């Protein structure tokens, strides 16, 4: 059936019990806050237990809100909404809102006077619940495959039970040979004793290596102590030539001071000579 006219939208919303008055003038310019409020109210009217968030502060929140409402309506009520027109929040959005309000209005005027009970409601709900438990379905499929594989292995083993039963009966009915068992036990005991002896030898070797390392460490410690004492002795002894070295160093400082003074005087005299030569040259020219 054709959708009702725009003027019927306000009447339908009033009949459905919307708490505010709506005028078509509200949609002459984009009014996303009003559209989002109406959409959220319609969703709650259709499914009070829905958990669609109403945050529309940012652009990302608005896109998420429109997509969530469109998905909800497509899943629950089989109503296909144009998300672009809803996002425009103008007169074109009213056409999309009319799709939902007309269904709710028609359900309210039905003999039951309740929410629309669509024929496919149960099946759509089942599909929705099934989609929300995909992880459980995957686990069930995996367990089913494991049960099948293990059942196949068990079937193969049961098929060999006839041969295995004969071998088991024969082994049970065979008389015990004490001498043979005693020989096997002695071999096993000797093998264990050899392993124990090897372990003891390894422990003895570890003890010897530990004693050798401790002796080397002690020797290195003594050498280190002797070296430290020798270093302290050398640092405390004053060399025999130290006095002469200090006297020569003092004389060198004096000579260096004299050298600096003469160098500055020579530089000054050379500058005076250059100025005198330049003056004589100018007078000659």
């Amino acid at each position: 059936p054709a959708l009702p006219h725009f003027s019927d939208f306000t009447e339908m919303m009033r009949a459905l019990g919307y708490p505010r008055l709506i005028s078509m003038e509200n949609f002459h310019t984009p009014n996303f806050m009003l559209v989002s409020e109406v959409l959220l109210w319609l969703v709650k009217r259709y499914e009070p237990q829905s958990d669609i968030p109403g945050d529309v502060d940012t652009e990302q929140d608005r896109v998420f809100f429109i997509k969530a409402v469109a998905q909800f309506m497509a899943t629950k009520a089989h109503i296909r909404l144009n998300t672009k027109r809803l996002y425009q929040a103008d007169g074109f959005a009213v056409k999309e809102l009319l799709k939902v309000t007309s269904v709710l209005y028609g359900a309210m005027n039905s003999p039951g006077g309740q929410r629309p009970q669509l024929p496919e409601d149960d099946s759509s709900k089942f599909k929705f619940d099934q989609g929300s438990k995909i992880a459980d379905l995957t686990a069930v499929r995996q367990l089913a495959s494991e049960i099948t594989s293990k059942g196949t292995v068990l079937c193969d083993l049961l098929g060999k039970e006839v041969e295995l039963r004969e071998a088991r009966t024969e082994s049970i009915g065979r008389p015990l040979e004490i001498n043979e068992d005693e020989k096997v036990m002695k071999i096993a005991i000797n093998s264990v004793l050899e392993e124990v002896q090897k372990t003891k030898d390894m422990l003895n070797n570890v003890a010897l290596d530990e004693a050798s390392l401790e002796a080397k460490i002690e020797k290195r410690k003594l050498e280190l102590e002797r070296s430290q004492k020798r270093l302290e002795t050398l640092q405390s002894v004053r060399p025999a030539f130290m006095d002469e070295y200090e006297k020569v160093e003092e004389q060198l400082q004096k000579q260096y001071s004299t050298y600096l003074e003469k160098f500055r005087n020579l530089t000054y005299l050379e500058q005076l000579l250059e100025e005198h030569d330049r003056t004589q040259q100018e007078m000659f020219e």
Side-chain angles (χ1 to χ4, degrees):
L3 291 176
H5 194 265
F6 287 174
S7 59
D8 296 335
F9 175 70
T10 56
E11 297 297 331
M12 288 183 183
M13 292 297 294
R14 186 182 300 109
L16 290 173
Y18 188 68
R20 292 175 52 185
L21 294 177
I22 301 177
S23 173
M24 294 308 300
E25 296 178 356
N26 298 131
F27 298 98
H28 287 171
T29 57
N31 192 348
F32 191 88
M33 298 303 295
L34 179 58
V35 172
S36 62
E37 182 181 347
V38 172
L39 280 173
L40 188 59
W41 186 84
L42 291 174
V43 169
K44 294 294 183 181
R45 178 78 175 178
Y46 192 90
E47 184 64 53
Q49 303 300 327
S50 62
D51 56 352
I52 296 178
D55 298 333
V56 291
D57 296 333
T58 63
E59 180 180 353
Q60 185 176 2
D61 293 338
R62 295 181 178 183
V63 173
F64 180 78
F65 174 78
I66 294 295
K67 287 183 177 180
V69 171
Q71 184 177 3
F72 175 84
M73 286 299 173
T75 305
K76 289 290 186 179
H78 295 277
I79 299 174
R80 186 176 180 180
L81 299 177
N82 190 321
T83 54
K84 292 183 179 180
R85 290 185 175 180
L86 288 176
Y87 192 81
Q88 288 177 2
D90 53 8
F92 291 100
V94 177
K95 291 183 179 181
E96 304 302 319
L97 295 175
L98 274 170
K99 296 178 182 180
V100 183
T101 54
S102 60
V103 173
L104 293 175
Y105 185 76
M108 185 182 67
N109 293 329
S110 63
Q114 298 295 330
R115 223 174 29 175
Q117 300 294 330
L118 298 178
E120 297 115 357
D121 185 67
D122 295 336
S123 61
S124 64
K125 182 177 181 181
F126 173 75
K127 292 178 182 178
F128 181 79
D129 295 339
Q130 184 181 13
S132 64
K133 296 183 179 180
I134 295 177
D136 295 340
L137 293 175
T138 304
V140 169
R141 291 196 187 99
Q142 185 177 359
L143 290 174
S145 62
E146 291 180 1
I147 291 172
T148 304
S149 61
K150 291 183 179 180
T152 304
V153 174
L154 182 60
C155 183
D156 295 338
L157 294 176
L158 291 175
K160 298 178 182 178
E161 175 60 20
V162 178
E163 299 176 0
L164 296 176
R165 186 187 301 114
E166 294 178 357
R168 185 169 61 252
T169 304
E170 183 181 356
S171 298
I172 293 173
R174 184 183 303 169
L176 295 177
E177 297 179 1
I178 299 176
N179 295 331
E180 187 69 23
D181 294 340
E182 185 178 358
K183 186 186 296 184
V184 174
M185 292 297 295
K186 286 182 178 180
I187 294 173
I189 291 171
N190 292 330
S191 177
V192 172
L193 291 176
E194 289 179 359
E195 293 293 333
V196 171
Q197 187 62 36
K198 288 181 181 179
T199 305
K200 288 182 178 179
D201 294 339
M202 292 175 64
L203 291 174
N204 293 331
N205 293 333
V206 169
L208 293 175
D209 294 340
E210 185 178 359
S212 177
L213 290 174
E214 288 180 355
K216 290 181 179 179
I217 292 172
E218 190 65 25
K219 183 179 179 181
R220 295 294 182 184
K221 286 182 178 179
L222 294 175
E223 292 179 357
L224 178 60
E225 290 178 358
R226 286 196 295 268
S227 298
Q228 289 179 348
K229 290 180 180 179
R230 185 177 179 184
L231 177 62
E232 292 175 358
T233 303
L234 291 175
Q235 289 177 349
S236 61
V237 174
R238 184 179 177 83
F241 57 84
M242 198 65 188
D243 295 336
E244 183 179 359
Y245 173 79
E246 290 178 353
K247 291 180 181 179
V248 173
E249 187 177 10
E250 186 177 354
Q251 292 177 3
L252 179 62
Q253 291 291 337
K254 293 180 180 179
Q255 293 294 333
Y256 184 70
S257 300
T258 304
Y259 165 75
L260 288 178
E261 183 178 359
K262 290 183 178 182
F263 181 79
R264 287 195 295 269
N265 292 336
L266 178 61
T267 303
Y268 177 70
L269 292 174
E270 287 178 352
Q271 183 179 1
L272 291 178
L273 180 61
E274 289 178 0
E275 292 179 356
H276 177 71
D277 292 342
R278 188 168 54 255
T279 304
Q280 291 295 329
Q281 182 67 25
E282 290 175 357
M283 291 176 62
F284 177 75
E285 291 177 357

